[in-house]
Amino acid sequence: MTLHRRPQIPLERPLIIPFHPQPKRIHHADQFFGIGIARSRRGQENLHRFREPARLHQIATFFHRRTCRGCQGQQSREDNRMKTRAFLHLICLLCVTLPASASELPQPLTSADFPAIDPAQARLGQLLFHDKLLSGNRNISCGTCHHPDLGGTDGLSLGIGEGGTGLGPFRRPGTGDDRIRKRIPRNAPALWNLGHKDISVLFHDGRLSRSDLYENGFDSPAEEWLPPGLDNLLAAQALFPLTAQFEMAGNPRENEVAGAVHDRIDAAWPIIAKRVRTIPAYGRMFVESFDHIEEPADVTITEIANAIAAYIAAEWRNHDSPFDAYLAGDHTALSPDARAGMNLFYGRANCSSCHAGPLLSDQGFHALALPDFGPGRTRMFDPYARDVGRMGESDRIEDAYRFRTPSLRNVALTAPYGHNGAFPTLEGIVRHHLDPLTSRASWTADLARLPDVPWLADADFLISQDAREMARQTRRVDITPVRLTDAEINQTVAFLHSLTGQTALTRPFGAPETVPSGLPVD
C-alpha cells in the first residue's frame, strides 16, 4: 500500500519498509508486508501522513483495538501506554529512514540563473587573465593560480605566488633575490559558477560583498577607493590579487605597482591600466569590445576588471552534472551509490545544513577546526602567524576561525580541500566534517600539498606548537559529529563525484597560446 496525498503527483520510487509481526523488528523488502512512503516533487505541502494505521497488517499488532467488550475490559492503561510509545517509536524511525524530501533538494541550475555575457569582452578577458603583464614584476598571471587545466585552481594546499616558477604541483619557489618570501596564506578557491546572480560574498573570509556601505555597491578592502563602473562582484574581486604583495604585486621597491600599493591601494590600478592600453592589440580590442571606449586612452582598470569578470563567468560556468540531470527529472542519472549518498547528504549526514541551494553553499561562515599550518592571513597586531578567518574582516569574536562555505560544484576537480587545503582527498574532507576534532588530532603534515621551500620550512607548522592557540581553535567548532559507516562515507563521496559536469573538462576558452604582451603563458 502506498500512502500519499494526491495520487496524480509524479512520485519517486517508494521506500519500502516491511514489518515483522513482532514489535520493533524491520526486515528487508522481500519479507512480509511493506508500507511504501511515496515522496512527491512538490515540497512540504505534499508531506505524507499515515491514514487509518489500525488497518495496516503488521502495524496493527502495535495498537489494534479489540472489538469484544471482554477484551476491552482486560486492556490496562499501562498496556495502552506501551503500545502508544511503540507506535511513536515506529513513526520516528520512519522519519529518520526516509530519503531526502523533494523540498530539500535545490532547483537545477539553468541559463536564467546567470547574467548575459558579452563574448567579445570574455575573449579579451581570457587574454588579460593569462597575461603576466598585470603583475608587478610581470612574472605571474591570474591563470597561474586558477588554471583551466587544474579545475580553476592550482592543485596546492597553499600556493606559490609572485617570484615562483612553473605551474600547479610543479611550481617552485624561485631562487636568489627573486625567490618567494611567503607562501600564499590560503588555498586558491575554485571559480566554478561565480557568475551566478545570487552570489553575494567572495573570498574565504568574505571580505568582498555586495553593499552600499561605501556608496559604490561593494564592501571591500578598497572601501571608498574602489573604482566606479564595475559590472558585478566578480569584477570587483578581480582587482585585489593585482595589489596583493605575495600574490601578484611583488615587494615594495621592486616595481612601481608594489610601490603605489604601499601608498594607497587605488594608486596601483592606473599604472596597470596604462600598461595594458598602450599595447596596440589590447587598445584595439577594448575599442571593439566596449561601446563607451572610443580610443585606447579611455581604458581604465574598470574595463580591465569587467573583461576579466566576463571571462571568469563564461569559462567556469558549468551545470550539466548527473545531479543536475536528476534534479531536472531524470532519476536514472545517479548511480545507486550516488543516490544513497545524496540521501545521506540531505538527510542524516546533515551536509545540506551548510551546503544548500543550487550552488551547494549557504554563503555563510562556519568553524570546522581544520588543521592549521602555513603563514596564515595575519592582522596588524597578531603576535604570530595565524588565521582567524571571518573575524579578521568583521572584528567580531563570534566569527573567530569561521570560513566561507564553498560551492561544491565540480568539487572532485578542485583538490585539495579546506581554506588551507589541509585534505588532499574528498574522503578525507568528508571524514573531517563528520568528526572535526578526531580528524584534527589524527592529521599529519604529509597530507598538506606544499612545494618544498627550505627557507620557510621551520615556520610552516610553527603554529601547531602554540598550545593556547590550538585550544582556542578546537573550542570553536560549528559541527556536531555524525556517525557514518565506511560504506556510507563512500556513498557520500560518490554523490560528490556526481556534481562534476559532463563538460567540466572541456572549457569554452582555455588558456591562450600567446598574449598581446608577448610574455610567456603558463
XYZ file of all heavy atoms in Angstrom, residues 385-444:
475
model
N 52.024 33.974 13.311
C 51.272 33.548 12.138
C 50.049 32.749 12.560
O 50.154 31.708 13.213
C 52.164 32.691 11.241
N 48.895 33.242 12.224
C 47.658 32.512 12.465
C 46.589 33.082 11.541
O 46.762 34.145 10.949
C 47.213 32.618 13.920
C 46.824 34.020 14.369
C 46.226 33.989 15.753
N 45.832 35.305 16.221
C 45.135 35.527 17.334
N 44.756 34.506 18.083
N 44.811 36.755 17.708
N 45.470 32.364 11.440
C 44.374 32.803 10.584
C 43.085 32.716 11.384
O 42.627 31.622 11.706
C 44.286 31.933 9.330
C 43.447 32.570 8.232
O 42.536 33.346 8.558
O 43.713 32.281 7.051
N 42.518 33.859 11.701
C 41.285 33.882 12.500
C 40.036 33.893 11.630
O 38.924 34.012 12.128
C 41.266 35.092 13.458
C 42.411 34.994 14.451
C 41.318 36.406 12.682
N 40.208 33.778 10.296
C 39.063 33.649 9.414
C 38.200 34.899 9.344
O 38.687 36.019 9.231
N 36.903 34.686 9.409
C 35.930 35.770 9.240
C 36.149 36.901 10.248
O 35.880 38.073 9.949
C 34.521 35.186 9.372
C 33.378 36.206 9.293
C 33.315 36.877 7.952
N 32.157 37.753 7.820
C 32.016 38.675 6.888
N 32.968 38.845 5.982
N 30.935 39.419 6.824
N 36.643 36.594 11.436
C 36.840 37.620 12.446
C 37.824 38.691 11.965
O 37.719 39.851 12.366
C 37.354 37.004 13.748
C 37.402 37.993 14.906
S 37.895 37.251 16.480
C 39.663 37.079 16.235
N 38.762 38.308 11.102
C 39.699 39.281 10.576
C 39.030 40.358 9.756
O 39.548 41.476 9.624
N 37.866 40.064 9.212
C 37.106 41.033 8.429
C 36.043 41.732 9.257
O 35.835 42.934 9.166
C 36.451 40.330 7.233
C 35.363 41.119 6.520
C 35.858 42.415 5.895
O 37.073 42.524 5.664
O 35.032 43.312 5.643
N 35.350 40.953 10.107
C 34.202 41.510 10.829
C 34.568 42.124 12.173
O 33.794 42.925 12.711
C 33.170 40.399 11.069
O 33.647 39.462 12.028
N 35.719 41.724 12.735
C 36.145 42.172 14.071
C 35.167 41.737 15.164
O 35.091 42.363 16.218
C 36.329 43.699 14.121
C 37.536 44.154 13.328
O 38.538 43.414 13.303
O 37.473 45.231 12.729
N 34.455 40.648 14.912
C 33.543 40.112 15.929
C 34.095 38.793 16.450
O 34.414 37.889 15.671
C 32.145 39.903 15.342
C 31.495 41.185 14.865
C 30.048 40.951 14.482
N 29.921 39.919 13.457
C 28.764 39.472 12.975
N 27.635 39.987 13.436
N 28.735 38.548 12.050
N 34.198 38.675 17.757
C 34.808 37.489 18.345
C 34.038 36.221 17.987
O 34.623 35.133 17.867
C 34.916 37.647 19.882
C 35.793 36.540 20.472
C 33.545 37.657 20.525
C 37.238 36.618 20.056
N 32.731 36.319 17.791
C 31.948 35.132 17.450
C 32.271 34.592 16.057
O 31.897 33.473 15.716
C 30.444 35.411 17.557
C 29.932 36.524 16.668
C 29.904 37.874 17.366
O 30.747 38.111 18.240
O 29.025 38.687 17.010
N 32.965 35.385 15.239
C 33.341 34.931 13.902
C 34.729 34.288 13.856
O 35.222 33.947 12.774
C 33.326 36.116 12.920
C 31.911 36.555 12.576
O 30.999 35.726 12.671
O 31.738 37.726 12.206
N 35.359 34.120 15.012
C 36.719 33.574 15.037
C 36.768 32.186 14.418
O 35.936 31.319 14.727
C 37.231 33.516 16.470
N 37.727 31.990 13.513
C 38.026 30.709 12.861
C 36.894 30.206 11.961
O 36.858 29.037 11.601
C 38.397 29.637 13.903
C 39.415 30.126 14.896
C 39.090 30.299 16.240
C 40.709 30.452 14.486
C 40.025 30.784 17.149
C 41.649 30.936 15.386
C 41.300 31.098 16.718
O 42.229 31.570 17.613
N 36.008 31.102 11.590
C 34.959 30.725 10.643
C 35.375 31.120 9.227
O 35.942 32.193 9.023
C 33.628 31.400 11.001
C 32.960 30.784 12.216
C 31.691 31.499 12.596
N 30.927 30.732 13.585
C 29.934 31.197 14.303
N 29.558 32.465 14.164
N 29.305 30.433 15.172
N 35.054 30.258 8.271
C 35.386 30.496 6.878
C 34.158 30.238 6.010
O 33.260 29.479 6.379
C 36.548 29.594 6.434
C 37.838 29.912 7.140
C 38.148 29.338 8.365
C 38.742 30.804 6.582
C 39.329 29.640 9.027
C 39.928 31.116 7.227
C 40.215 30.534 8.454
N 34.161 30.861 4.856
C 33.003 30.804 3.960
C 32.771 29.391 3.443
O 33.708 28.674 3.102
C 33.224 31.761 2.780
C 32.066 31.808 1.785
C 32.368 32.808 0.678
N 31.302 32.882 -0.290
C 31.236 32.118 -1.378
N 32.189 31.244 -1.618
N 30.231 32.241 -2.221
N 31.510 28.994 3.381
C 31.136 27.698 2.826
C 31.374 27.706 1.314
O 30.748 28.479 0.598
C 29.655 27.393 3.091
O 29.387 27.507 4.483
C 29.301 25.998 2.604
N 32.255 26.858 0.801
C 32.486 26.851 -0.651
C 31.356 26.144 -1.392
O 30.675 25.271 -0.839
C 33.796 26.071 -0.787
C 33.776 25.129 0.373
C 33.100 25.884 1.502
N 31.176 26.520 -2.642
C 30.279 25.762 -3.514
C 30.906 24.399 -3.791
O 32.133 24.263 -3.843
C 30.055 26.515 -4.820
O 29.426 25.675 -5.773
N 30.061 23.386 -3.966
C 30.570 22.038 -4.237
C 30.452 21.646 -5.701
O 30.717 20.491 -6.052
C 29.828 21.023 -3.358
C 30.014 21.201 -1.849
C 29.302 20.094 -1.092
C 31.485 21.244 -1.474
N 30.083 22.578 -6.542
C 30.021 22.268 -7.974
C 31.412 21.885 -8.481
O 32.390 22.597 -8.252
C 29.502 23.486 -8.735
C 28.050 23.805 -8.443
C 27.159 22.808 -9.149
N 25.748 23.007 -8.880
C 24.794 22.451 -9.607
N 25.117 21.693 -10.640
N 23.533 22.638 -9.312
N 31.515 20.718 -9.148
C 32.782 20.207 -9.682
C 33.848 20.068 -8.591
O 35.043 20.194 -8.844
C 33.299 21.107 -10.815
C 32.421 21.036 -12.054
O 31.933 19.966 -12.413
N 32.199 22.165 -12.683
N 33.405 19.769 -7.382
C 34.327 19.705 -6.257
C 35.383 18.611 -6.439
O 36.513 18.736 -5.938
C 33.548 19.511 -4.934
C 32.862 18.156 -4.881
C 34.458 19.717 -3.735
N 35.059 17.556 -7.165
C 36.035 16.479 -7.364
C 37.235 16.937 -8.181
O 38.271 16.258 -8.182
C 35.359 15.286 -8.046
N 37.120 18.085 -8.861
C 38.212 18.588 -9.699
C 39.075 19.615 -8.984
O 40.035 20.120 -9.576
C 37.638 19.230 -10.969
C 36.687 18.376 -11.817
C 36.193 19.184 -13.005
C 37.384 17.098 -12.273
N 38.768 19.939 -7.726
C 39.387 21.107 -7.111
C 40.189 20.784 -5.852
O 40.360 21.635 -4.980
C 38.322 22.162 -6.787
O 37.392 21.629 -5.839
C 37.574 22.586 -8.037
N 40.688 19.565 -5.717
C 41.514 19.214 -4.557
C 42.788 20.068 -4.542
O 43.253 20.521 -5.596
C 41.879 17.734 -4.612
N 43.375 20.286 -3.354
C 42.971 19.835 -2.013
C 41.891 20.722 -1.412
O 41.574 21.780 -1.956
C 44.268 19.918 -1.217
C 45.043 20.995 -1.892
C 44.706 20.916 -3.346
N 41.368 20.301 -0.249
C 40.142 20.886 0.286
C 40.353 21.578 1.639
O 41.203 21.200 2.427
C 39.076 19.797 0.421
C 38.839 19.095 -0.893
C 39.348 17.815 -1.125
C 38.151 19.727 -1.925
C 39.160 17.183 -2.347
C 37.953 19.100 -3.143
C 38.467 17.833 -3.354
O 38.287 17.214 -4.565
N 39.516 22.577 1.886
C 39.593 23.384 3.089
C 40.205 24.735 2.776
O 40.860 24.909 1.744
N 40.020 25.711 3.644
C 40.525 27.060 3.375
C 42.046 27.099 3.252
O 42.598 28.030 2.675
C 40.058 28.018 4.474
C 40.784 27.844 5.774
N 40.345 26.995 6.755
C 41.929 28.402 6.247
C 41.180 27.028 7.783
N 42.151 27.883 7.501
N 42.712 26.070 3.802
C 44.161 25.976 3.641
C 44.588 24.699 2.924
O 45.765 24.334 2.935
C 44.856 26.077 5.007
C 44.387 24.985 5.972
O 43.569 24.132 5.617
N 44.889 25.018 7.196
N 43.633 24.023 2.302
C 43.965 22.822 1.547
C 44.514 21.707 2.399
O 45.408 20.965 1.969
N 43.973 21.510 3.582
C 44.534 20.536 4.523
C 44.314 19.089 4.098
O 45.084 18.208 4.489
C 43.932 20.755 5.914
N 43.293 18.827 3.284
C 42.965 17.442 2.941
C 43.054 17.231 1.433
O 42.393 17.929 0.660
C 41.573 17.087 3.458
C 41.509 16.993 4.951
C 41.131 18.093 5.710
C 41.855 15.821 5.605
C 41.090 18.019 7.091
C 41.820 15.738 6.991
C 41.438 16.841 7.734
N 43.849 16.249 1.009
C 44.060 16.044 -0.429
C 42.963 15.260 -1.130
O 42.939 15.198 -2.354
C 45.382 15.254 -0.467
C 45.410 14.510 0.828
C 44.727 15.398 1.838
N 42.050 14.645 -0.380
C 41.023 13.811 -0.998
C 39.635 14.184 -0.491
O 39.479 14.731 0.615
C 41.254 12.320 -0.693
O 41.085 12.095 0.719
C 42.656 11.890 -1.119
N 38.631 13.848 -1.286
C 37.249 14.061 -0.859
C 36.910 13.225 0.363
O 36.224 13.695 1.275
C 36.291 13.713 -2.006
C 36.113 14.759 -3.100
C 35.255 14.201 -4.232
C 35.491 16.032 -2.544
N 37.396 12.000 0.395
C 37.118 11.158 1.563
C 37.675 11.805 2.831
O 37.015 11.812 3.884
C 37.729 9.773 1.392
C 37.464 8.875 2.587
C 38.128 7.512 2.466
O 38.549 7.144 1.355
O 38.221 6.808 3.504
N 38.871 12.367 2.737
C 39.472 12.995 3.906
C 38.666 14.160 4.431
O 38.431 14.282 5.641
N 38.219 15.039 3.545
C 37.463 16.209 3.999
C 36.063 15.806 4.467
O 35.511 16.421 5.385
C 37.400 17.296 2.897
C 36.912 18.629 3.484
C 36.562 16.842 1.732
C 37.832 19.261 4.485
N 35.483 14.762 3.890
C 34.185 14.274 4.368
C 34.331 13.730 5.781
O 33.531 14.045 6.668
C 33.625 13.192 3.420
C 32.449 12.466 4.075
C 33.178 13.821 2.113
N 35.357 12.924 6.007
C 35.573 12.374 7.354
C 35.821 13.498 8.365
O 35.381 13.415 9.511
C 36.732 11.386 7.348
C 36.421 10.067 6.635
C 37.566 9.086 6.742
N 37.264 7.836 6.054
C 36.601 6.814 6.584
N 36.179 6.914 7.846
N 36.355 5.715 5.905
N 36.514 14.538 7.943
C 36.749 15.647 8.861
C 35.431 16.313 9.244
O 35.222 16.656 10.416
C 37.693 16.670 8.244
C 37.988 17.812 9.160
N 38.951 17.739 10.146
C 37.424 19.047 9.290
C 38.975 18.881 10.822
N 38.062 19.688 10.316
N 34.549 16.525 8.289
C 33.258 17.145 8.589
C 32.435 16.287 9.554
O 31.674 16.829 10.363
C 32.456 17.363 7.301
C 32.834 18.602 6.555
N 34.045 18.757 5.917
C 32.158 19.765 6.351
C 34.093 19.955 5.343
N 32.970 20.589 5.597
N 32.583 14.980 9.465
C 31.792 14.096 10.317
C 32.257 14.131 11.763
O 31.452 13.970 12.682
C 31.859 12.662 9.778
C 31.223 12.431 8.411
C 31.491 11.019 7.943
C 29.720 12.715 8.452
N 33.559 14.352 11.979
C 34.103 14.385 13.343
C 35.354 15.263 13.344
O 36.485 14.768 13.316
C 34.430 12.971 13.824
C 34.744 12.914 15.313
O 34.922 13.987 15.925
O 34.820 11.802 15.861
N 35.190 16.596 13.369
C 36.319 17.503 13.193
C 37.457 17.305 14.190
O 38.632 17.299 13.805
C 35.679 18.888 13.332
C 34.263 18.695 12.936
C 33.916 17.335 13.449
N 37.158 17.151 15.456
C 38.224 17.104 16.446
C 39.020 15.801 16.376
O 40.246 15.804 16.523
C 37.648 17.311 17.847
C 36.997 18.682 18.070
C 36.567 18.838 19.525
C 37.947 19.806 17.670
N 38.350 14.688 16.145
C 39.070 13.426 15.967
C 39.935 13.481 14.718
O 41.091 13.043 14.718
C 38.081 12.254 15.874
O 37.332 12.176 17.083
C 38.814 10.945 15.647
N 39.390 14.034 13.644
C 40.147 14.171 12.403
C 41.350 15.084 12.584
O 42.465 14.776 12.138
C 39.236 14.724 11.298
O 39.986 15.076 10.157
N 41.153 16.183 13.276
C 42.248 17.128 13.509
C 43.375 16.479 14.309
O 44.557 16.682 14.017
C 41.702 18.354 14.245
C 42.725 19.444 14.545
C 42.093 20.547 15.379
N 43.055 21.540 15.824
C 43.218 22.747 15.284
N 42.455 23.118 14.271
N 44.119 23.580 15.766
N 43.000 15.684 15.312
C 44.004 15.044 16.159
C 44.836 14.010 15.407
O 46.004 13.788 15.735
C 43.324 14.396 17.363
N 44.249 13.397 14.373
C 44.961 12.349 13.644
C 45.630 12.863 12.368
O 46.317 12.108 11.680
C 43.996 11.220 13.288
O 42.960 11.690 12.423
N 45.436 14.141 12.046
C 46.004 14.714 10.820
C 47.522 14.768 10.916
O 48.086 15.054 11.972
C 45.438 16.105 10.608
C 45.813 16.754 9.306
C 45.163 16.629 8.112
C 46.904 17.648 9.065
N 45.775 17.386 7.145
C 46.859 18.015 7.701
C 47.922 18.158 9.872
C 47.789 18.879 7.130
C 48.861 19.019 9.309
C 48.786 19.374 7.948
N 48.192 14.500 9.801
C 49.653 14.561 9.756
C 50.104 15.517 8.656
O 49.419 15.698 7.649
C 50.257 13.175 9.499
O 49.683 12.614 8.305
C 49.987 12.249 10.680
